[in-house]
Amino acid sequence: TEKFNKDIRKLGTNAQNQSYLDQFRVLVTEIGNAMGYVRMVRSGGVHYISNAIKFVPDLEKTPNYEEQAVASSLSEESVTAARNVDSVLNNLMQKFAEGSDYFKILVEVFKDEMRKEQNFHLRNFYIIVPPLTLSYVDHMLASKDKLTKKNKESNFCDDGFALGLAFVLKLLDQNKQFDGLRWFESVQMHYSEEQEKVRRELAGRKRQDDETQHLQLTVNRIMSYRREFELLFFSFLSARI
């Protein structure tokens, strides 16, 4: 994966020094950000409905006020008012019961289009995911480094990529294929082995010199990559549909 990312960069970069793979990662992140916006709007709607519906004693045993008004021989105005109450309650309960299944609704809307013959080139999308994740981790480490330098273009978290990645994999029905790569497990194993290898080399050195400092920096870099991949894994796992 590291070699693939280096080779992709040889194909050229844009004005922002982004390779084609970096631009692909940005696209996936933008998809995830759009999904995050939908989630935010939906959360606001649920919050509003929760406040409105709290005055209903029992959502499962809501009487039909129109029928009761008619049975009580109330005036036409009272029957109309009761009908309006029933309509409002039914609407609130329906919206409240929808919960957070909007992701599944979006998947149902877009999956047929994404799986058409014209998008046949996406059948192996899951294979490009490992290089994309490495591009993301490189980007996040660079952003966090800028944060310590008080750079305006820095940030310390970005769940848009994980959300977009989970959404696209679901759209293309490639979750099983990606799981078969055991990518995140392989990453942890790789960095554990690299970290142990460098630490053994450090333990064998009896005096401090430039090489020892370099090895210590290597250990810190490996730990940073390992930690960032763990954070990505947790975000991706929670975003999966």
Side-chain angles (χ1 to χ4, degrees), residues 214-226:
H214 175 71
L215 289 173
Q216 188 58 55
L217 289 173
T218 301
V219 171
N220 294 338
R221 182 181 63 83
I222 291 173
M223 290 176 64
S224 296
Y225 270 88
R226 186 175 181 179

Side-chain angles (χ1 to χ4, degrees), residues 16 18 21 61 89 125 151 180 197 231 237:
Q16 288 75 40
Q18 293 177 328
L21 191 67
K61 297 180 180 179
L89 287 176
F125 171 79
N151 191 299
K197 179 181 175 182
L231 293 174
L237 201 63

Side-chain angles (χ1 to χ4, degrees), residues 21 24-25 28 125 128-137 161 165:
L21 191 67
F24 193 13
R25 170 190 41 87
V28 173
F125 171 79
I128 200 71
V129 172
L132 282 174
T133 59
L134 183 57
S135 171
Y136 168 81
V137 168
F161 175 75
L165 192 61

Side-chain angles (χ1 to χ4, degrees), residues 117-152:
E117 187 66 25
Q118 66 191 41
N119 294 320
F120 188 66
H121 58 283
L122 293 175
R123 70 191 184 281
N124 292 323
F125 171 79
Y126 69 96
I127 295 176
I128 200 71
V129 172
L132 282 174
T133 59
L134 183 57
S135 171
Y136 168 81
V137 168
D138 286 333
H139 165 69
M140 287 307 303
L141 289 175
S143 295
K144 290 180 179 180
D145 184 56
K146 291 177 181 177
L147 188 65
T148 61
K149 299 175 182 177
K150 299 182 180 180
N151 191 299
K152 293 182 179 180

Side-chain angles (χ1 to χ4, degrees), residues 42-56:
R42 177 58 186 162
S43 296
V46 170
H47 178 70
Y48 171 80
I49 293 171
S50 298
N51 285 332
I53 211 169
K54 65 184 178 182
F55 300 104
V56 181

Side-chain angles (χ1 to χ4, degrees), residues 195-208:
Q195 188 172 334
E196 185 61 30
K197 179 181 175 182
V198 177
R199 281 182 171 171
R200 282 199 303 268
E201 192 172 345
L202 267 174
R205 291 184 169 271
K206 297 181 179 179
R207 62 190 182 89
Q208 294 285 335

Side-chain angles (χ1 to χ4, degrees), residues 23-234:
Q23 294 174 57
F24 193 13
R25 170 190 41 87
V26 170
L27 176 61
V28 173
T29 302
E30 289 175 349
I31 293 173
N33 288 339
M35 300 296 294
Y37 177 74
V38 173
R39 178 176 60 186
M40 182 179 65
V41 172
R42 177 58 186 162
S43 296
V46 170
H47 178 70
Y48 171 80
I49 293 171
S50 298
N51 285 332
I53 211 169
K54 65 184 178 182
F55 300 104
V56 181
D58 191 344
L59 294 178
E60 296 180 356
K61 297 180 180 179
T62 304
N64 189 303
Y65 292 104
E66 182 181 4
E67 291 180 358
Q68 292 187 3
V70 172
S72 301
S73 301
L74 297 180
S75 64
E76 183 63 31
E77 289 80 5
S78 297
V79 172
T80 301
R83 185 184 306 119
N84 290 337
V85 170
D86 288 336
S87 176
V88 170
L89 287 176
N90 289 333
N91 182 55
L92 285 174
M93 288 187 291
Q94 180 183 357
K95 298 296 183 184
F96 188 76
E98 286 179 359
S100 57
D101 287 341
Y102 55 92
F103 277 163
K104 293 182 179 179
I105 295 173
L106 289 172
V107 168
E108 291 299 318
V109 170
F110 291 110
K111 69 177 184 180
D112 292 335
E113 182 66 29
M114 291 291 287
R115 298 175 191 176
K116 283 184 177 180
E117 187 66 25
Q118 66 191 41
N119 294 320
F120 188 66
H121 58 283
L122 293 175
R123 70 191 184 281
N124 292 323
F125 171 79
Y126 69 96
I127 295 176
I128 200 71
V129 172
L132 282 174
T133 59
L134 183 57
S135 171
Y136 168 81
V137 168
D138 286 333
H139 165 69
M140 287 307 303
L141 289 175
S143 295
K144 290 180 179 180
D145 184 56
K146 291 177 181 177
L147 188 65
T148 61
K149 299 175 182 177
K150 299 182 180 180
N151 191 299
K152 293 182 179 180
E153 299 296 326
S154 60
N155 62 286
F156 64 92
C157 66
D158 184 2
D159 62 348
F161 175 75
L163 197 57
L165 192 61
F167 183 63
V168 174
L169 283 171
K170 181 64 176 180
L171 278 182
L172 299 173
D173 194 25
Q174 294 181 8
N175 277 322
K176 287 185 178 179
Q177 291 93 320
F178 176 68
D179 290 341
L181 297 177
R182 305 179 72 87
W183 167 242
F184 288 106
E185 293 178 24
S186 300
V187 166
Q188 291 303 315
M189 188 180 301
H190 168 71
Y191 284 124
S192 294
E193 291 174 354
E194 288 294 313
Q195 188 172 334
E196 185 61 30
K197 179 181 175 182
V198 177
R199 281 182 171 171
R200 282 199 303 268
E201 192 172 345
L202 267 174
R205 291 184 169 271
K206 297 181 179 179
R207 62 190 182 89
Q208 294 285 335
D209 53 17
D210 291 342
E211 184 63 25
T212 303
Q213 271 191 330
H214 175 71
L215 289 173
Q216 188 58 55
L217 289 173
T218 301
V219 171
N220 294 338
R221 182 181 63 83
I222 291 173
M223 290 176 64
S224 296
Y225 270 88
R226 186 175 181 179
R227 190 183 307 113
E228 205 61 47
F229 265 109
E230 284 181 349
L231 293 174
L232 174 58
F233 171 69
F234 294 138

